[in-house]
Amino acid sequence: MSVDSRLSTTYSPVSSDTLELLPLKPDGHDASSSWWRRRGNVIKFIAGFAVLVAVVVAIAVPVYIFVIMKPGDVPSPSPTPIVRRLPVIVNTWPWPQVAATGWKILAESNGTSLDAVERACNFCEDNPSVCGFSVGYGGNPNADGETTLDAMIMHGPTHDVGAVGCLKRIKHAVTVARGVLEYTYHTLLVGEDATNFATTTLKLPEEDLSTNATIQQWEAWVAAGRQPNHWKIQPSSYSTSSSSSSSSSLPDFSHDTVGVVALDQYGDLSAAVSTNGMRWKIPGRVGDSPIPGAGAYVDNDIGAAAATGNGDVMMRFLPSLRTVLNMGAGMTPSQACKEALSPIVRFYPNASIALIALDRHGNYGGACAGVQESFTFAVQHPDLEEP
């Protein structure tokens, strides 16, 4: 085989199946060593770059988490879960009769959380004077002088929800909500159609939800020029002699919702809420209570939460859903509630808002913001003689 003195080709000692051609340098020396050195340099460069990327990630990720992210975005480590003896029931506000009513159901041999939260809310719907006239009949009339109701109930094991908004002339709003859950594939019915569902499907009687007291309150409000109210731009029929009050500045008693969360002997969670909403609300207004994730929320694998306060504000943030997700991320119930309130306070620092939460282990807690007095909630479990 002739060899060109300038550039020759030789055969490397490889297997009989494969031949690899390696060029020689013009001086006739084997170029394989130079080729291997270049490939080695490439490998070293890639390895060095990978190390550099790993170092940058190791530094940047903690900086992002602990410096760039806002406080509250990273859940605090939760302590070892307390496996409390079941069942457990928690309700908003210092109304121990509510928890006691639900507890009677839970203490039965076959008592369920769904039955317990419904019956607990029924107590307030039957006894509005005990619950500050903010639930059920005889409280918080709207701008037309009529009392209307909002309610919701959510079942953890099935994730089913039933709710009613602006319900008229039906006393037990949460029972109608449960009817929506059990009789239909819907989630929310409103207004006169919700009333029609209650009377025709559930056979519930129509009742006047107004009382002499609420009629007198409404007449006095009209005489005072319909002030305060919930209008940004006042209707011509309203007095302009005094400035309108925004919903966030109304008295706390105008929007106290009863919210109940329960964990039964089977380890199943449920939640329910009931309210007659804000006083002097514009007719047709529906608050946060019947909105899943706002008024209440349940994840049977994590926990349950319920809200009370300024519903027009809270439904914009879904605080009950956020609270449950926070517990799922490792926060305690109280930590979860507090963090869920933080974005609301940022935009509406004067709003009165509060949350309660119960996790799947039986731990419970709550948090509030803007409430003029301390926020109190009632609890009942086997280690307590009474709520």
Side-chain angles (χ1 to χ4, degrees), residues 76 273 308:
S76 302
V273 289
T308 180

Side-chain angles (χ1 to χ4, degrees), residues 157-168:
T158 61
H159 218 71
D160 286 344
V161 179
V164 290
C166 199
L167 179 69
K168 302 180 179 183

Side-chain angles (χ1 to χ4, degrees), residues 272-296:
V273 289
S274 183
T275 183
N276 51 35
M278 284 186 165
R279 185 169 297 178
W280 320 133
K281 61 190 175 185
I282 298 170
R285 180 261 190 186
V286 173
D288 68 309
S289 292
I291 308 301

Side-chain angles (χ1 to χ4, degrees), residues 79-90 103 106 261-269 332-334 357-365 377 379-385:
T80 302
I82 300 173
V83 182
R84 191 180 302 281
R85 286 198 298 146
L86 306 183
V88 182
I89 187 168
V90 185
W103 178 255
L106 292 173
V261 291
L263 177 64
D264 61 30
Q265 58 189 315
Y266 308 107
D268 291 330
L269 290 150
T332 66
S334 292
L358 173 66
D359 70 19
R360 67 185 182 91
H361 302 291
N363 303 310
Y364 52 85
F377 55 91
V379 181
Q380 180 68 68
H381 56 74
D383 297 326
L384 296 175
E385 293 183 0

